[in-house]
Structures are given as C-alpha cells and as structure tokens.
Amino acid sequence: MVNGLLKEYSPYLEYKDGVLHFDGVNLEELARELGTPLYVYSANHIRDKIRAYKEAFPGALIAYAVKANFNLGVIKIAAEEGCGADTVSGGEIYRAIKGGIPADKIVYAGVGKTDEELSYALEQDILMFNAESEMEIEVLNELAGKKGKKARIAVRVNPDVDPKTHPKIATGMKKSKFGIDINKALDVYRWASKLPNIEVVGIHCHIGSQLLDLSPFREAVEKVADLYRKLEKEGIRIKYLDIGGGLGIKYKPEDREPSPKELADIVTPIVKDLGVQLILEPGRSIAGNGGILITQVQFLKEKDDKLFVMVDAGFNDLLRPAMYGSYHHIVAVREKPQKMVCDVVGPICETGDILGENREICDVGRKDYLAVLSAGAYGFVMSSHYNMRPRAAEVIVENGSYRVTRPRENWDYIIWKEEV
Ligand SMILES: *Cc1c(COP(=O)(O)O)cnc(C)c1O
C-alpha cells in the first residue's frame, strides 16, 4: 500500500525488503556511504518526464528550466534527452552550456538582466532573449549594435490570468513584476521590430508555477494566440511561441499530478494552425519528483505532549517549507510496523525551521534516516550556508548504480577567500 503511494510520486521509488530504494539504489546504504543531508536524483525519472513532454508536443523545443535544479549532472541528462534550456541569469547560461546544452537552444528571461549578462548571452549567440521591459530591449539593441550582432527577442507578455497557485509563485497577473502588459504588447512589438539590431522572433509568457488546475493555461495561450494573429496582420513574423513552464507536481498524498499530455490537449488545438514552433519551459515537472532529500535523525525530544524529531537537514538545505509553507511528504528510509506522530525539525536556530508538522511516520530512533520527497526542484538550488552549514552532497542514481555529481562542501569551502 505504501509502495502504491510512493509510485505516484515516482515509479522509481519503492520499499524493497523494508528499505527505501530509488532508481534501484538502496538509500540506507547510500546514506551510510556518502553521509547526510544528501540530495538524490533519479536519472530515469528525469528522462521519463522529458520524454513525456516530447511525446505530447512533437516538434516543440523543451527548454528545461535550469533554475529548478541546476546541477550539472541533471543538466547533462536534459541535454542527452535533446532539451534546450530556459535560463534566468548569465550564470545559468554558463551552467547550461557547461552541462552540454547547445547555445542555440537557450532562452533567457528575467526582469533585471545586467549589461554583463546581456553581453555574455550575445557572445554565446543564444536562441532568444525573453525581454521583460522596453528599457531592456533598448539596451539590448545598443549592446548588440556594438558587437555587430542582432539580438533575437521575444517580448514576455503578462496575460493577466490568475494561475490559482501560491501567490509567491504566480507571475502572470497584472500586479506582478513580470512581463509587459499584453494590451500594450502590440505597440512594443511595432517599435521593437524597427530597431536595427533587434530581430523579433517570439512571444513569451510564463504565468506561474505549481499549477495543478490547467485551465489558466487555456486562457493565457488564447490571449497569446490572439496577439500572434494581430502581429501577423501587421507583417511582424513570429517564429516561436514560448508558453513557459508551470505544470504542477504531487507534493501531498492527495494531489493529482497533471501530465504533459493533458497540457497538450489544452494547448495544441489553440496553436496548431499558427505555423510557429512551440517552446516549453518545464522545470518542476521534470525534476521535482525526480529528487529526494535524505536526512539523518540526530535526537528525539518530547515537549508539551509533542514529539520532536531533530534531523540534520534544515531550511538552509530545503527552503520551501519555511519560505512558502510548502508540504513535503516525509517517509522513513527503513519501514517499520510501529508508527509515530511527530514534528520533523531542522538544526537551524530559527523557529521556522520545520520540515514537517504533525506527521505520521514509521518509528525512528537516533541515526535512522528519513527521506523528504519531491525535493528535486527548488531544493538544493535554494540552499544557503546559513549557520555556517556546508551544503549537501548531490548524487544521481540510475539503474541500481550511483554517481556523486557534487561533493559535500566543507568549512574551508565556505570561507574561501574570506579575510580576517
Ligand atoms: C521558473 C520559470 C520556469 C519554470 O517553472 P516551473 O514551474 O518550474 O515549470 C519557466 N519559465 C520561466 C520564465 C521561469 O521563470
């Protein structure tokens, strides 16, 4: 029964002989070998998710949103599967290229791109800049001119739809800082298409993240298709329709995860006659349930009728519960018939350092391991050194074997080049 639930998170997650395995690897042995906290990513899970997108959207460019999980090993898997990359900084472009993504499959969004970042992206000759303001387009025009280049751009439009997700990850509503008001977009396109060093090639929108109800996509893509037809009428030729990322994943046991196919069933009828290449920018839905965080129980403490399980992963390792109040399912790595109800808390000196409240888990004691699920996206990438804590190691598991893709940091790494 537990295995049934685990399979809904990832088909590669299961108890075998009472011990949790991921992509064929025994997680208890792995944690003993490599220490904790430990991020574990399943290559097969990530590959399957990418393939599901490619099947649902034949001919589209699947630009993996690197910010969800920018580990080089993970990017390499995306590259091997034929993905491009969606990036939001110069550093992410650098990483995407290092991971093997060809520059001509990289798109670049972000409201605050610096001159250095824009110049770097121009030198790399990336596929498309997803511009978020007129001033950005002006600067890009200048920088491209100095280099004797033309910058290919899409205007990121804000279609003003409510994605019905957590307010901190809703990006396509009027009041958010992202994009250009879709009602103003036509004028911006008219103006930009006349700039000498700008080539207008696309329309971009990204309405938010962790969408479990897909109806907001219909509304957004219909608005974008409408804009496309207006541009076409004026002779402004659009090659790429970039509809962003945002597909949600299962976090809570009762969540139902939508598939790329369900998204395609909504999007394809709207865009099929437009004669454009679709670009998608999935992040969370590729890496999210392809990763877990293994943590070790340090101490147990009873207080006011509450049982606290203190573990060695804190919000410096996984920020989502503290930042968004997110739920992450937690299971013991070793299955036991006895259960206990507890709060799983981290070692950080902040009251908000709680990984899970009031959770029923299998009985655990000192030195036992817990697995925090759905940690493959917006997990390690948001980690910090708060409390002088080295960041976790990252390992990729695949068909029963593993490779460390980023070693555990140490104190010297953290104080690198710091002076007294
Ligand atoms: C974050 C982001 C994505 C990825 O979103 P997911 O919800 O992880 O799929 C895609 N595009 C842009 C522009 C983003 O900022």
Side-chain angles (χ1 to χ4, degrees):
M1 191 202 120
V2 183
N3 270 340
L5 173 65
L6 289 180
K7 283 222 174 334
E8 292 175 22
Y9 284 91
S10 172
Y12 300 98
L13 197 58
E14 61 173 338
Y15 285 105
K16 271 192 232 168
D17 304 322
V19 180
L20 194 62
H21 285 60
F22 202 19
D23 215 333
V25 172
N26 180 319
L27 293 173
E28 196 174 65
E29 285 172 11
L30 190 72
R32 277 202 197 114
E33 180 87 21
L34 300 175
T36 51
L38 180 67
Y39 272 98
V40 187
Y41 309 129
S42 156
N44 276 307
H45 182 104
I46 292 166
R47 290 186 200 284
D48 286 1
K49 293 290 175 187
I50 294 170
R51 287 172 195 178
Y53 268 101
K54 296 184 83 170
E55 231 167 82
F57 295 94
L61 172 64
I62 309 303
Y64 166 59
V66 166
K67 81 168 184 285
N69 183 330
F70 61 38
N71 177 278
L72 283 182
V74 170
I75 294 175
K76 178 163 170 269
I77 293 169
E80 283 167 359
E81 296 298 325
C83 283
D86 163 54
T87 60
V88 293
S89 69
E92 282 195 357
I93 296 172
Y94 178 77
R95 260 189 187 273
I97 291 170
K98 283 263 177 207
I101 309 260
D104 64 4
K105 287 185 178 176
I106 294 178
V107 294
Y108 178 21
V111 292
K113 305 174 180 93
T114 64
D115 289 14
E116 288 75 22
E117 290 177 304
L118 290 169
S119 298
Y120 172 69
L122 279 167
E123 279 153 24
Q124 299 304 315
D125 225 355
I126 64 164
L127 176 65
M128 181 164 88
F129 293 81
N130 291 332
E132 307 239 13
S133 63
E134 289 154 278
M135 212 187 269
E136 178 188 333
I137 298 171
E138 250 172 60
V139 170
L140 194 53
N141 178 54
E142 254 170 59
L143 292 171
K146 277 189 202 145
K147 292 183 190 298
K149 289 190 179 241
K150 267 199 164 207
R152 288 173 292 274
I153 69 154
V155 175
R156 177 172 184 173
V157 297
N158 186 323
D160 192 27
V161 301
D162 181 355
K164 299 172 198 151
T165 184
H166 190 288
K168 283 194 180 157
I169 49 177
T171 53
M173 290 164 86
K174 248 198 174 100
K175 63 181 182 206
S176 96
K177 70 178 175 182
F178 295 102
I180 288 175
D181 187 337
I182 193 157
N183 300 312
K184 220 183 115 187
L186 195 55
D187 284 338
V188 175
Y189 271 100
R190 283 181 190 131
W191 162 76
S193 64
K194 294 196 183 85
L195 295 174
N197 310 310
I198 294 288
E199 187 189 352
V200 170
V201 293
I203 307 175
H204 176 238
C205 78
H206 169 70
I207 56 174
S209 199
Q210 186 50 20
L211 275 72
L212 292 174
D213 167 11
L214 301 188
S215 57
F217 276 107
R218 175 174 295 120
E219 201 187 328
V221 176
E222 270 169 0
K223 287 187 177 181
V224 164
D226 209 43
L227 174 63
Y228 169 89
R229 280 184 283 265
K230 285 182 191 151
L231 291 171
E232 191 82 331
K233 236 182 237 155
E234 304 212 1
I236 299 171
R237 181 69 199 104
I238 297 297
K239 278 199 247 177
Y240 306 111
L241 217 63
D242 183 343
I243 60 167
L247 213 61
I249 62 163
K250 182 186 191 74
Y251 283 104
K252 294 184 178 155
E254 65 270 25
D255 287 343
R256 208 198 127 268
E257 186 168 307
S259 68
K261 167 82 169 58
E262 286 164 57
L263 180 61
D265 287 344
I266 290 175
V267 171
T268 310
I270 308 172
V271 302
K272 68 175 191 302
D273 296 327
L274 298 187
V276 287
Q277 184 183 20
L278 262 191
I279 300 179
L280 289 102
E281 304 173 338
R284 189 191 309 269
S285 52
I286 285 176
N289 274 321
I292 58 176
L293 173 62
I294 307 290
T295 180
Q296 188 182 44
V297 175
Q298 302 303 306
F299 305 111
L300 294 97
K301 165 159 82 176
E302 263 180 274
K303 210 167 146 263
D304 290 338
D305 292 334
K306 227 179 183 182
L307 175 61
F308 288 96
V309 173
M310 269 83 70
V311 299
D312 65 357
F315 76 55
N316 71 298
D317 296 298
L318 182 66
L319 185 59
R320 299 190 68 259
M323 178 145 133
Y324 309 117
S326 317
Y327 179 98
H328 281 261
H329 202 57
I330 301 174
V331 297
V333 167
R334 187 167 276 279
E335 227 181 354
K336 289 201 189 124
Q338 315 90 289
K339 297 270 187 324
M340 57 193 238
V341 174
C342 60
D343 280 13
V344 179
V345 300
I348 300 284
C349 293
E350 300 264 359
T351 310
D353 189 24
I354 301 169
L355 285 173
E357 252 178 313
N358 253 322
R359 297 302 178 83
E360 192 185 73
I361 57 173
C362 292
D363 225 359
V364 287
R366 178 166 162 75
K367 305 267 172 173
D368 285 342
Y369 297 108
L370 294 176
V372 183
L373 307 190
S374 318
Y378 308 106
F380 181 90
V381 288
M382 286 190 177
S383 64
S384 75
H385 291 140
Y386 189 42
N387 284 195
M388 187 59 198
R389 294 170 48 78
R391 278 181 296 182
E394 294 177 285
V395 58
I396 293 179
V397 289
E398 185 162 25
N399 303 324
S401 56
Y402 72 85
R403 49 187 188 271
V404 176
T405 165
R406 191 175 198 277
R408 186 174 306 287
E409 295 176 352
N410 61 18
W411 294 335
D412 278 327
Y413 178 91
I414 305 178
I415 62 172
W416 181 67
K417 290 200 172 177
E418 207 172 304
E419 297 201 27
V420 289

